Amino acid sequence: MKKKALRKEFYMEVRRTWNRFLSLLLITALGVAFFSGIRAAQPDMELSADRYYQETQLMDISVQGTLGVTEEDVESIAALEGVRNAVPCYSMDMFGTVKDEQLNLEVMSIPEQLNLLTLQEGRMPEAEDECVVDYELVKEGSVAIGSKVVLRSADEDLETEDILGVSEFTVTGAVTSPYYISLERGNTSIGNGTLNGFLAVPESAFVMDYYTEICVEIEKAASASGYSDAYEKLSDAVVERIEEIADGRCEIRYAEVQEEGRQEIADARQEIEDARQELADAEQELADGRAELADAKQELEDGKKELADGEAEFAEKEQEYLDARQQTADGWEQADRGRRDIISAERQLEGGWSQYEEGKKQIEEGYAALAPYEEQYAQLQEGEAQLQAGIGQLESGLAEIEAGLGQIETVLEQIEALEAMPEEQRPEGSKELIAQKEGLIAQKTGLEAKKAELEPQLTEAQTQLAACQQGIAQLAPVIESTKAELDAGAEQLAESKKQLDAAQAQIDEANGEISKAVEQLSEAEHELADAEVQLADGRAELEEARQEIADGEQEIADAEEELAEGEQEYADAKAEADEEIADAEEQIADGEQELADMEVPEWYVLDRQYIASFADYGQNADRIGAIGRVFPAIFFLVAALVCLTTMTRMVEEERTQIGTLKALGYSRGSIAAKYILYALISSLLGSLIGLVAGQKALPAVIMTAYRILYPDLPYMLTPLNLQYSVMATGAAVLCTTLAAWAACYKELFAVPAELMRPAAPRAGKRVFLERVGFIWKRLNFSRKAAVRNLIRYKKRFFMTIFGIGGCTALLLVGFGLKDSVSYIGEGQFEEVFAYDGSIIFDADAEEAQQEKLSETVAADERITDSARMLETAVDVEKDGVLKSAYLIVPEQEKELRDYVQLQDRKTREAWELDGEGIIVSEKLANLLGVSEGSTVTLSEDDTGHVEAVVSHVTENYFMHYIYMSRELYEKLYEKEPEWNTLFLHTTQTDEAFEEGIQEDYMGLDAVLSVSFISGMAKTVDDMLGSMNVVIAVLVISAGMLAFIVLYNLNNINISERKRELATLKVLGFFDREVSAYVNRENIMLTAIGMAVGLLLGLALHRFVMTTVETDTIMFGRVIRWYSYVFSGLLTIVFSLIVSGVQFFKLKKIDMVESLKSVE
Amino acid sequence: MEHFVELRGVRKVYHMGEVEITAVDGIDFEIEKGEFAVIVGPSGAGKTTVLNILGGMDTCTEGEVWVDGRDVGKFRGKQLTAYRRDDIGFVFQFYNLVQNLTALENVELALQICKDPLDARQVLEEVGLGQRTDNFPAQLSGGEQQRVAIARALAKNPKLLLCDEPTGALDYNTGKAILKLLQDTCRERGMTVVVITHNSAIAPMADRIIKIRNGRVSEMKQNEHPVSVETIEW
């Protein structure tokens, strides 16, 4: 556009028709955004997943052998063309017990090169008994970091110890694996058939002598998407190459295993031999032991005898000693006695002596005593003489007295004094002096008395004299005899002295004898002491000997016991060993049989499509892709048509100007350039905005939704996609520009004059309806006008119908999608599954435990009723299509009806199980392409293949199920079903209630798991929740589309009919009447559009439903009535909004301006 | 107000951005009931603006517009619409028929909203289109279309029939015929008719001639002896 004026005019045009420019821009933006955005969702999803796969080195191919794989296999695969890396690894589905809960876990070695784990929490294992677990398990709370997991082999033929070196692991962390990006962990052949998660342990924890899997990385471009065809081709080629060497490798492996087997059998035989030898040796040992024991006993016997002899000798000696001792004691006693005799003799002697002394003394005394007597005698003689003298005197004294009294007194005093004084002390002189002195006094006084008394005295003196004389008479013989006696006594004394001296001599002699005896005794005593020591020694010796014998006996007892034990042990060991040997022999036989039966192994070469979450994610991306191919296309088409209409209208409006320019001589090119440029710029700008906004926002929204399903996918990449950008932009720009060109094409070839004239208004025409008189006549005037107007503006008519219809259809699909998706929950868990929960128990558990479970359930008030079932995972195959499903066999056919509703989805006809055929769930039937009467093949891991006839197809929405009667099961499998599931009806279904039941029953030994329908329903709901976002995207975009289309078309309509509307206003139509005039048409258009839209939507819904479904899910096919209503209502609401906006636009129409001149 | 139509000091100023354009600058005139009035003036003199104001299609900036005792100049919005609806019949240079409706329907379109309409068919007959009632505008000649337009205006039974260059797009004879129709209508029905034209030749047929120049009435005179259209040549 070189012409300055034209350029200026173009800018002015844009500014003047800013609204149109903007709406053109927006509608292209929306169209392009929706188209490229939804389209890009698939590649973006794939890219995001791919980034993660590349980062974590997700393997491309997995090779698994039925007999395991070896290092050599790895090497030979690594050597293949196109293989970049081949890594062997371990992986095994096992039972894991955490607390009381049993989980089905995939136990794998922590990968180092491929399938790298990403640590999410905790740390990686550092010791052999540490492990990391699936992050999902940690998130859902099944396993806590730090807890212990006990692993147990799920394979009957394989001991846990043969798989893992340790069986109890401490969980140190939670990881994610590229192998599992979705919530689902897939199926397994163990337990209830559902894998709960994975667990990774250090490779060294595995003790298997072969690897279970080889992970292969192929040579591929770093940028090649794992979901691309190119990748698939590469992968297929390598798969093929691996499969080519598979047979060879398998042969080798076969030979190896055979050899190993044979070796093992040989080893086992050797072992049996060894065991036998050992037994024999043990027996020999026992025999030796027995012989030794006998010898020992003999020895003991000898010892005992010796001891007895020794004891006898000792006793003898002891006796001797005792005798000697007795003798000595006697000796001592004799000695003592002797000594005592001596002592008593001595004492006697002493007595003798003392007697002697006494005698001597007596004699002496006798002599002494005799002396006084003699003296007395003498005295007496003297006395007599005296007396005689006294008598004489007396007689003289009397005479004297008579003569002299004094003198007699004196004399008397003297006598008295004499008599008063002791005889011996009577001094002769003094006495008389005294007596004289006193007697002088007394003689003076007494001489008179004595003169009286002298007579008695004289008589007395005479009597005394008589007595004295008598005494003398008496004393004289006594003194004579005494003297004789004394003399005899003295003689005797001398005699006894002689005797005493002899006794003394005897005693002395005896003393000597005794001393001698004592000496002898001491000597004997000495000897005895020695003997005692000897005896003590002998006793000690004997004691020792006795102890020795006792010890010997104890030893022998011990030895006997030991021997008995040994014999017992030997017997036990032998029994055991025999049994073991028997077993071993049997095993050897089995092993030999096995070896003989062993088939050449097979390799399963599985590419990424066999990774459930990879394939699943790919399918989801494909599904979004499918939606992306349908919806945006409709959307885009509508947008393009709107652009076309807008451009046509623009050219029409400027007809006169075109004519003027032509008349002025501008070339067609420069005239057309304005419109083409207008279209180009607006659509290009719109496209650019749209493709950036769309490709950034929409895939992000969709991927965010899928995050719920794939929580472990860390990336969300939304790069601009060149292909779709160019495609959408190109289409949008081309559409609008071509529309502009087409619109001016006609005008450009008209002559200027014609263009200058107003375009002949489109002629009014009678419409078909007018010919149908009875309808036409009933229409009031305004309706007639409206009908005619509709038909008159055909382009608008179709555009609007298409726009509104598209909008309604999109809304209906959106709502319908939600209906169908949510129907899974309702249909499956309310209609089909009438039971509330199920308890899976161990069919191999002891009878008593199962019995206990039954009793507990029966007694539980919370559980209204229950039924036993067999529920197991099976593979179903028909014409090469293989799907896995759950096989359910009820114990009582009649009971099944209370728990599962078997019926035709459409006719609601109820099905019954019979002995003839199986009932298959609908989606499974569809996938396999089977119907009533078809035959399918069922296979389980442990049983062979059986063929069953499909008798009915039943309504089902989630997972695949096959129902079979007990009778048929027994017929097909030739065994009784192993009941492993209880279906329950409970009184309540709230979470706490169900948790209570779960907790109570998990405690029972036989129970493996307890699950509830409400929980499953929730899982499914969560899973499908992501669809809500897609639905919301659809509904919102449908709304926007409807709005823009209606708004734009209305604008065009109004501007096209401005004159007509102005006329109406001039005629005095109120604003609302003018509005009603136009709206009547819009209402009709909306009604027709809605009807078309609902039909279109229904068809589209069908298509979308089948495209969006995954294998295991069947969405409801029914759209609920209120979805139709909602779709209709929303369309009407959009219509009303547009009408509202339009009302103001109509009001603004300036009559004067509009009618001033013809444009 | 003794006059049926009376304009006093009517001014109309358009604001085009910052520029003020005075289209009508103080118009005063009056028209009596049943008169056939012609407003003449050169292009751009403000005739159409006056007519628009008079017909309730536009409002005046200043002044009073009395029609049948009511100051239309004060009307706004709905009042104006109601005024147009009940009191005014419009005839345009370009007929402004609704193309999608037949002649009869175009008339009926107007009648729909009227309080006291005439019979559409009869009015069409009266304007000489009794045979063409079911024809679409495109099937009618210019004169016929204008007759439909007049019929549409008349059928509303308005107090005032306003015609903006009714013959502008017609050939001489047809134009004459239309003018005749208008004059007859005025005479026969006692309808007050106001015709705008730049053709001063038509003036003699009017009862009252109002000349406008530069937004002002330059001359207003009553024609004591209006002549029939047939006698006028231009």
Side-chain angles (χ1 to χ4, degrees):
Chain A
M1 221 200 275
K2 293 188 195 91
K3 292 89 183 171
K4 198 181 169 194
L6 275 187
R7 202 179 307 154
K8 174 91 196 276
E9 202 275 325
F10 175 74
Y11 295 139
M12 289 306 293
E13 178 76 23
V14 171
R15 196 191 285 175
R16 195 170 61 80
T17 61
W18 185 241
N19 273 348
R20 170 162 55 203
F21 187 80
L22 212 64
S23 76
L24 210 55
L25 187 144
L26 274 181
I27 208 153
T28 0
L30 258 177
V32 168
F34 202 57
F35 182 86
S36 65
I38 303 255
R39 278 257 162 139
Q42 176 183 11
D44 284 356
M45 282 174 80
E46 290 175 355
L47 183 72
S48 301
D50 229 53
R51 166 71 64 86
Y52 181 54
Y53 291 149
Q54 267 172 18
E55 202 179 78
T56 53
Q57 297 283 332
L58 180 66
M59 59 166 202
D60 296 294
I61 294 164
S62 157
V63 180
Q64 295 164 22
T66 46
L67 289 179
V69 284
T70 60
E71 290 280 3
E72 289 77 36
D73 292 336
V74 177
E75 276 161 28
S76 55
I77 287 176
L80 286 176
E81 187 198 337
V83 173
R84 184 180 291 163
N85 196 359
V87 183
C89 56
Y90 297 102
S91 155
M92 179 77 64
D93 289 354
M94 298 177 81
F95 294 129
T97 313
V98 188
K99 287 179 202 136
D100 281 339
E101 198 182 0
Q102 178 173 312
L103 300 168
N104 302 329
L105 297 173
E106 185 196 343
V107 179
M108 54 171 149
S109 50
I110 294 174
E112 305 278 335
Q113 297 175 43
L114 298 176
N115 300 337
L116 300 177
L117 301 176
T118 315
L119 190 68
Q120 302 289 345
E121 265 179 44
R123 59 168 178 82
M124 293 305 282
E126 279 155 13
E128 211 169 79
D129 62 346
E130 291 180 341
C131 70
V132 282
V133 292
D134 196 337
Y135 190 37
E136 283 305 317
L137 288 175
V138 173
K139 276 198 283 185
E140 70 180 36
S142 301
V143 181
I145 289 175
S147 59
K148 303 252 186 208
V149 181
V150 178
L151 296 176
R152 181 162 61 83
S153 170
D155 188 343
E156 285 167 14
D157 299 334
L158 208 52
E159 295 297 324
T160 310
E161 303 87 75
D162 293 340
I163 305 171
L164 292 167
V166 272
S167 62
E168 186 175 284
F169 291 87
T170 308
V171 178
T172 62
V175 291
T176 51
S177 163
Y179 214 90
Y180 297 109
I181 56 168
S182 76
L183 284 173
E184 293 298 301
R185 292 295 177 257
N187 290 342
T188 173
S189 56
I190 67 169
N192 63 357
T194 307
L195 204 58
N196 296 105
F198 65 86
L199 181 145
V201 300
E203 195 177 313
S204 54
F206 276 93
V207 295
M208 299 167 82
D209 51 7
Y210 56 86
Y211 294 102
T212 60
E213 191 181 356
I214 299 173
C215 298
V216 180
E217 184 191 3
I218 62 172
E219 298 276 358
K220 56 182 181 270
S223 59
S225 163
Y227 291 102
S228 66
D229 292 342
Y231 169 82
E232 222 163 281
K233 208 176 273 176
L234 265 177
S235 166
D236 285 350
V238 178
V239 166
E240 216 160 280
R241 264 174 236 135
I242 294 174
E243 270 166 357
E244 269 166 26
I245 65 160
D247 286 348
R249 293 302 318 169
C250 284
E251 285 292 345
I252 294 169
R253 175 75 185 139
Y254 177 69
E256 215 174 70
V257 175
Q258 286 273 341
E259 182 50 40
E260 254 170 48
R262 273 193 288 273
Q263 191 57 49
E264 260 171 52
I265 288 171
D267 287 355
R269 287 230 173 86
Q270 187 55 47
E271 261 172 57
I272 290 176
E273 237 14 79
D274 289 354
R276 286 214 177 107
Q277 188 56 49
E278 258 174 61
L279 270 181
D281 288 356
E283 211 168 17
Q284 186 56 47
E285 250 174 70
L286 272 179
D288 290 355
R290 250 180 246 125
E292 257 174 61
L293 186 68
D295 287 357
K297 267 185 188 153
Q298 188 53 49
E299 253 174 66
L300 187 70
E301 233 23 74
D302 292 354
K304 265 185 191 158
K305 204 175 282 167
E306 251 172 73
L307 179 69
D309 291 354
E311 260 172 356
E313 214 175 300
F314 178 75
E316 221 168 281
K317 279 208 179 121
E318 204 174 33
Q319 195 52 48
E320 266 173 50
Y321 163 78
L322 283 179
D323 291 352
R325 168 124 275 188
Q326 191 57 46
Q327 276 175 349
T328 325
D330 289 353
W332 279 114
E333 204 171 321
Q334 270 178 329
D336 274 352
R337 214 182 291 135
R339 209 171 262 144
R340 247 193 322 258
D341 284 346
I342 289 172
I343 287 167
S344 70
E346 264 174 352
R347 224 174 267 151
Q348 272 177 345
L349 194 61
E350 253 167 65
W353 280 112
S354 80
Q355 268 178 336
Y356 163 75
E357 281 307 319
E358 208 172 316
K360 201 177 173 188
K361 213 180 186 176
Q362 274 174 347
I363 287 170
E364 269 167 28
E365 270 171 34
Y367 279 118
L370 205 47
Y373 284 116
E374 279 178 56
E375 213 169 304
Q376 215 179 342
Y377 184 69
Q379 274 173 346
L380 279 170
Q381 274 173 330
E382 205 177 309
E384 196 195 350
Q386 274 175 341
L387 276 165
Q388 266 166 344
I391 292 165
Q393 273 176 331
L394 263 169
E395 272 168 2
S396 45
L398 264 156
E400 271 182 38
I401 290 178
E402 283 108 282
L405 246 310
Q407 277 174 340
I408 313 178
E409 276 179 73
T410 319
V411 173
L412 280 169
E413 213 176 66
Q414 273 175 339
I415 299 169
E416 269 176 12
L418 264 174
E419 277 177 351
M421 274 199 336
E423 296 169 74
E424 50 287 275
Q425 281 176 344
R426 276 171 205 161
E428 297 233 315
S430 56
K431 264 175 212 171
E432 285 154 356
L433 218 86
I434 297 162
Q436 275 176 337
K437 215 178 152 186
E438 279 176 6
L440 272 168
I441 310 155
Q443 261 171 349
K444 250 181 217 123
T445 58
L447 212 32
E448 290 100 359
K450 270 183 182 182
K451 255 182 190 147
E453 281 170 35
L454 227 23
E455 277 105 288
Q457 270 177 353
L458 195 42
T459 40
E460 210 181 284
Q462 282 162 332
T463 43
Q464 269 178 347
L465 187 53
C468 206
Q469 277 166 339
Q470 202 185 348
I472 287 168
Q474 277 170 340
L475 266 177
V478 171
I479 289 175
E480 250 349 270
S481 70
T482 304
K483 238 183 201 156
E485 261 173 58
L486 280 176
D487 289 341
E491 207 163 309
Q492 255 179 325
L493 268 178
E495 188 69 23
S496 82
K497 197 180 186 256
K498 226 184 262 170
Q499 274 174 351
L500 279 173
D501 283 337
Q504 187 70 43
Q506 262 179 341
I507 283 168
D508 287 343
E509 198 176 323
N511 256 340
E513 259 169 58
I514 283 171
S515 294
K516 223 180 273 170
V518 163
E519 204 166 309
Q520 272 171 359
L521 276 172
S522 295
E523 219 164 288
E525 198 75 15
H526 207 67
E527 264 167 54
L528 271 176
D530 285 354
E532 218 163 64
V533 170
Q534 271 175 359
L535 272 176
D537 286 355
R539 207 177 281 122
E541 257 171 64
L542 271 177
E543 203 47 52
E544 244 167 67
R546 230 177 262 124
Q547 189 58 41
E548 255 172 61
I549 284 175
D551 287 355
E553 262 168 356
Q554 187 58 43
E555 259 172 57
I556 283 174
D558 288 354
E560 259 170 354
E561 202 171 311
E562 239 172 79
L563 188 69
E565 262 169 40
E567 264 166 356
Q568 186 57 41
E569 239 173 74
Y570 170 76
D572 290 352
K574 188 168 165 35
E576 213 172 295
D578 282 348
E579 200 173 312
E580 261 171 49
I581 288 171
D583 280 357
E585 270 168 348
E586 199 173 314
Q587 269 175 7
I588 288 173
D590 285 355
E592 273 171 342
Q593 186 60 38
E594 230 173 84
L595 273 185
D597 289 349
M598 189 187 285
E599 282 172 24
V600 178
E602 247 181 283
W603 271 9
Y604 293 109
V605 185
L606 310 173
D607 61 17
R608 282 184 180 178
Q609 287 304 321
Y610 286 87
I611 302 174
S613 69
F614 178 92
D616 190 46
Y617 187 81
Q619 281 171 16
N620 273 324
D622 280 350
R623 218 163 287 138
I624 290 295
I627 292 182
R629 273 185 292 280
V630 184
F631 285 90
I634 296 175
F635 205 104
F636 195 79
L637 206 61
V638 173
L641 278 172
V642 172
C643 288
L644 182 84
T645 329
T646 312
M647 282 320 293
T648 312
R649 176 65 199 153
M650 181 182 173
V651 174
E652 272 173 9
E653 273 175 12
E654 303 209 336
R655 191 179 142 87
T656 322
Q657 197 189 340
I658 294 171
T660 312
L661 288 173
K662 275 199 89 170
L664 286 172
Y666 278 101
S667 70
R668 276 177 209 143
S670 14
I671 299 169
K674 172 186 167 185
Y675 305 104
I676 292 172
L677 212 64
Y678 189 93
L680 186 75
I681 291 178
S682 61
S683 60
L684 195 63
L685 277 176
S687 299
L688 290 177
I689 294 169
L691 68 87
V692 172
Q695 291 189 51
K696 286 293 170 196
L698 285 176
V701 167
I702 289 168
M703 276 193 269
T704 308
Y706 273 102
R707 266 275 160 89
I708 299 163
L709 272 180
Y710 301 98
D712 294 338
L713 187 63
Y715 294 107
M716 201 163 84
L717 305 175
T718 56
L720 291 183
N721 185 303
L722 185 66
Q723 186 195 350
Y724 293 124
S725 299
V726 169
M727 195 194 258
T729 310
V733 171
L734 214 64
C735 252
T736 342
T737 315
L738 273 181
W741 184 78
C744 40
Y745 179 81
K746 194 179 76 198
E747 314 288 343
L748 287 174
F749 283 91
V751 288
E754 198 185 319
L755 290 174
M756 301 287 262
R757 275 201 298 272
R762 247 175 274 224
K765 259 193 280 179
R766 298 209 172 267
V767 295
F768 171 72
L769 208 58
E770 288 178 48
R771 293 182 223 286
V772 190
F774 65 94
I775 296 178
W776 189 250
K777 274 177 199 154
R778 270 161 217 237
L779 292 177
N780 70 17
F781 175 77
S782 332
R783 296 232 173 96
K784 282 180 194 168
V787 169
R788 231 185 250 142
N789 276 334
L790 286 186
I791 309 291
R792 185 174 169 220
Y793 300 102
K794 284 199 190 61
K795 207 195 281 169
R796 181 171 80 102
F797 177 77
F798 286 114
M799 282 299 309
T800 315
I801 299 238
F802 199 69
I804 293 175
C807 159
T808 316
L810 284 180
L811 287 172
L812 187 64
V813 170
F815 287 124
L817 211 60
K818 190 164 170 51
D819 286 345
S820 302
V821 167
S822 62
Y823 194 72
I824 292 174
E826 190 185 310
Q828 186 72 24
F829 300 116
E830 284 173 29
E831 294 228 356
V832 177
F833 284 173
Y835 65 93
D836 296 317
S838 62
I839 297 175
I840 296 174
F841 57 92
D842 189 357
D844 298 329
E846 282 165 31
E847 200 70 30
Q849 290 178 352
Q850 294 195 28
E851 197 61 38
K852 192 178 173 205
L853 172 63
S854 307
E855 279 165 14
T856 315
V857 169
D860 198 329
E861 279 178 8
R862 295 171 295 185
I863 295 168
T864 48
D865 51 270
S866 66
R868 278 212 291 184
M869 309 272 164
L870 163 68
E871 182 171 353
T872 180
V874 290
D875 287 332
V876 198
E877 194 238 304
K878 171 77 180 175
D879 297 336
V881 184
L882 184 87
K883 299 286 164 195
S884 53
Y886 288 107
L887 173 67
I888 292 181
V889 183
E891 192 178 22
Q892 307 283 338
E893 266 100 71
K894 291 271 182 292
E895 277 183 358
L896 184 63
R897 195 185 308 157
D898 298 332
Y899 298 92
V900 180
Q901 194 66 43
L902 299 179
Q903 63 181 21
D904 187 276
R905 178 167 58 83
K906 289 176 192 150
T907 64
R908 303 262 145 198
E909 192 184 336
W911 306 129
E912 289 285 336
L913 281 176
D914 53 31
E916 300 303 315
I918 55 174
I919 297 179
V920 177
S921 60
E922 187 170 346
K923 180 82 183 184
L924 179 61
N926 290 343
L927 288 171
L928 296 174
V930 298
S931 55
E932 291 181 13
S934 311
T935 305
V936 294
T937 309
L938 305 181
S939 54
E940 268 176 273
D941 278 355
D942 46 350
T943 51
H945 303 268
V946 296
E947 301 220 322
V949 179
V950 176
S951 62
H952 298 292
V953 173
T954 184
E955 181 179 8
N956 191 68
Y957 299 97
F958 185 62
M959 309 302 285
H960 304 314
Y961 290 93
I962 291 174
Y963 301 93
M964 188 186 279
S965 67
R966 185 179 183 176
E967 183 190 347
L968 185 62
Y969 185 91
E970 282 166 8
K971 197 160 80 187
L972 289 176
Y973 289 96
E974 291 168 350
K975 67 173 184 186
E976 200 124 320
E978 288 182 341
W979 313 117
N980 63 358
T981 306
L982 273 178
F983 282 5
L984 310 173
H985 273 129
T986 53
T987 54
Q988 279 171 274
T989 54
D990 61 277
E991 209 172 311
F993 176 83
E994 291 181 343
E995 263 174 28
I997 293 186
Q998 188 158 26
E999 211 165 285
D1000 293 350
Y1001 282 88
M1002 282 312 287
L1004 294 179
D1005 288 339
V1007 175
L1008 294 178
S1009 76
V1010 180
S1011 58
F1012 290 93
I1013 290 295
S1014 58
M1016 282 163 78
K1018 193 173 171 295
T1019 313
V1020 171
D1021 269 0
D1022 288 350
M1023 211 170 84
L1024 297 170
S1026 54
M1027 290 306 287
N1028 283 339
V1029 176
V1030 177
I1031 290 162
V1033 168
L1034 283 181
V1035 169
I1036 291 171
S1037 11
M1040 283 165 90
L1041 174 75
F1043 193 80
I1044 290 188
V1045 168
L1046 283 174
Y1047 181 76
N1048 212 34
L1049 289 173
N1050 256 311
N1051 266 354
I1052 293 169
N1053 189 32
I1054 289 169
S1055 83
E1056 224 174 359
R1057 294 164 69 188
K1058 213 173 185 175
R1059 217 180 165 77
E1060 183 182 327
L1061 298 170
T1063 309
L1064 291 178
K1065 284 184 119 180
V1066 171
L1067 282 175
F1069 277 66
F1070 286 119
D1071 287 330
R1072 60 184 159 74
E1073 285 169 332
V1074 176
S1075 214
Y1077 179 81
V1078 181
N1079 277 343
R1080 210 164 283 129
E1081 294 164 33
N1082 282 344
I1083 289 166
M1084 285 184 193
L1085 284 173
T1086 308
I1088 297 171
M1090 241 162 63
V1092 170
L1094 290 178
L1095 288 175
L1096 189 67
L1098 199 60
L1100 207 57
H1101 177 255
R1102 281 279 154 79
F1103 171 77
V1104 171
M1105 269 1 278
T1106 41
T1107 326
V1108 176
E1109 268 176 11
T1110 47
D1111 258 12
T1112 52
I1113 286 173
M1114 183 168 128
F1115 291 128
R1117 293 286 187 264
V1118 188
I1119 303 177
R1120 283 175 231 248
W1121 62 267
Y1122 46 77
S1123 293
Y1124 290 102
V1125 174
F1126 276 154
S1127 313
L1129 277 180
L1130 268 179
T1131 315
I1132 290 170
V1133 167
F1134 291 137
S1135 245
L1136 280 179
I1137 293 172
V1138 172
S1139 299
V1141 175
Q1142 177 191 262
F1143 177 78
F1144 294 100
K1145 265 208 129 69
L1146 285 174
K1147 208 172 168 178
K1148 266 199 235 156
I1149 292 178
D1150 186 359
M1151 292 169 284
V1152 182
E1153 283 298 309
S1154 312
L1155 297 172
K1156 201 181 264 171
S1157 65
V1158 179
E1159 289 152 353
Chain B
M1 281 296 150
E2 62 269 41
H3 306 293
F4 187 63
V5 175
E6 189 173 344
L7 274 71
R8 287 284 166 261
V10 172
R11 276 167 55 86
K12 178 68 182 177
V13 182
Y14 292 104
H15 296 269
M16 300 293 235
E18 288 168 13
V19 189
E20 282 192 1
I21 298 166
T22 311
V24 175
D25 194 10
I27 294 262
D28 302 289
F29 67 74
E30 56 282 329
I31 298 167
E32 297 306 329
K33 191 171 166 69
E35 272 187 339
F36 189 97
V38 172
I39 300 174
V40 291
S43 290
K47 312 183 293 279
T48 308
T49 309
V50 171
L51 192 74
N52 285 346
I53 290 169
L54 185 56
M57 282 166 66
D58 209 344
T59 51
C60 57
T61 317
E62 249 175 62
E64 298 168 4
V65 182
W66 293 91
V67 176
D68 200 10
R70 290 191 296 167
D71 187 358
V72 180
K74 301 280 186 293
F75 287 7
R76 289 292 182 273
K78 262 197 166 171
Q79 276 176 309
L80 270 181
T81 313
Y83 167 68
R84 284 202 301 272
R85 185 182 186 125
D86 299 329
D87 300 343
I88 301 294
F90 256 108
V91 175
F92 297 99
Q93 183 180 4
F94 296 110
Y95 337 127
N96 285 332
L97 296 178
V98 178
Q99 294 295 321
N100 209 24
L101 300 176
T102 59
L104 182 65
E105 284 161 354
N106 261 294
V107 179
E108 282 172 344
L109 178 67
L111 301 190
Q112 284 227 304
I113 55 171
C114 267
K115 282 182 201 157
D116 183 22
L118 304 176
D119 181 63
R121 207 171 283 273
Q122 202 187 326
V123 176
L124 276 172
E125 260 171 40
E126 280 169 15
V127 300
L129 288 175
Q131 305 306 310
R132 322 261 344 228
T133 50
D134 287 340
N135 285 77
F136 285 100
Q139 295 164 327
L140 300 172
S141 68
E144 286 168 330
Q145 285 193 47
Q146 194 61 295
R147 279 166 198 271
V148 175
I150 292 168
R152 187 175 66 184
L154 286 177
K156 281 170 73 182
N157 202 8
K159 290 175 180 167
L160 204 53
L161 182 62
L162 303 176
C163 312
D164 189 357
E165 301 269 8
T167 60
L170 299 173
D171 60 80
Y172 180 72
N173 286 324
T174 320
K176 262 186 152 179
I178 291 298
L179 284 175
K180 173 97 177 67
L181 176 61
L182 288 174
Q183 199 178 29
D184 291 352
T185 308
C186 176
R187 297 283 174 265
E188 286 161 21
R189 295 171 182 264
M191 175 83 68
T192 312
V193 178
V194 181
V195 172
I196 284 181
T197 181
H198 63 277
N199 187 358
S200 47
I202 296 170
M205 65 176 287
D207 293 326
R208 183 183 294 263
I209 299 147
I210 301 158
K211 289 190 178 166
I212 293 180
R213 195 177 289 270
N214 295 329
R216 286 171 184 276
V217 177
S218 63
E219 186 191 353
M220 183 173 74
K221 64 175 182 183
Q222 270 183 302
N223 191 356
E224 296 299 328
H225 307 287
V227 296
S228 173
V229 180
E230 287 92 334
T231 61
I232 297 175
E233 303 272 332
W234 64 84

